[in-house]
């Protein structure tokens, strides 16, 4: 039973992480479309930091 709970927790965490990354990618896409170089740098750095923090 505990294995199922661990798998459920891991899946929930993975879905949350993917949703966070998806949101950042969408923001990055908008910044690229607007050609906002400073925002692109900021979002890229945020994305890199976020990915590093979840390793």
């Amino acid at each position: 039973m505990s294995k199922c709970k661990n798998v459920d927790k891991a899946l929930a965490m993975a879905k949350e992480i993917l949703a966070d990354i998806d949101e950042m990618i969408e923001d990055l896409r908008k910044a690229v479309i607007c050609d906002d170089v400073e925002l692109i740098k900021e979002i890229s750095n945020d994305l890199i930091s976020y990915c590093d923090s979840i390793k």
Side-chain angles (χ1 to χ4, degrees):
M1 178 79 71
S2 67
K3 281 187 179 182
C4 289
K5 286 184 180 181
N6 287 340
V7 170
D8 289 344
K9 283 184 181 180
L11 285 173
M13 182 180 285
K15 286 180 182 179
E16 191 173 312
I17 289 168
L18 287 173
D20 290 343
I21 292 172
D22 187 53
E23 184 177 327
M24 285 188 253
I25 294 296
E26 184 59 32
D27 291 344
L28 185 56
R29 184 176 289 117
K30 289 175 185 174
V32 168
I33 289 169
C34 294
D35 200 28
D36 187 335
V37 175
E38 289 304 314
L39 188 56
I40 292 168
K41 288 179 185 178
E42 180 182 332
I43 295 169
S44 296
N45 287 333
D46 290 347
L47 183 57
I48 291 166
S49 294
Y50 181 78
C51 290
D52 287 344
S53 75
I54 58 174
K55 284 183 182 178

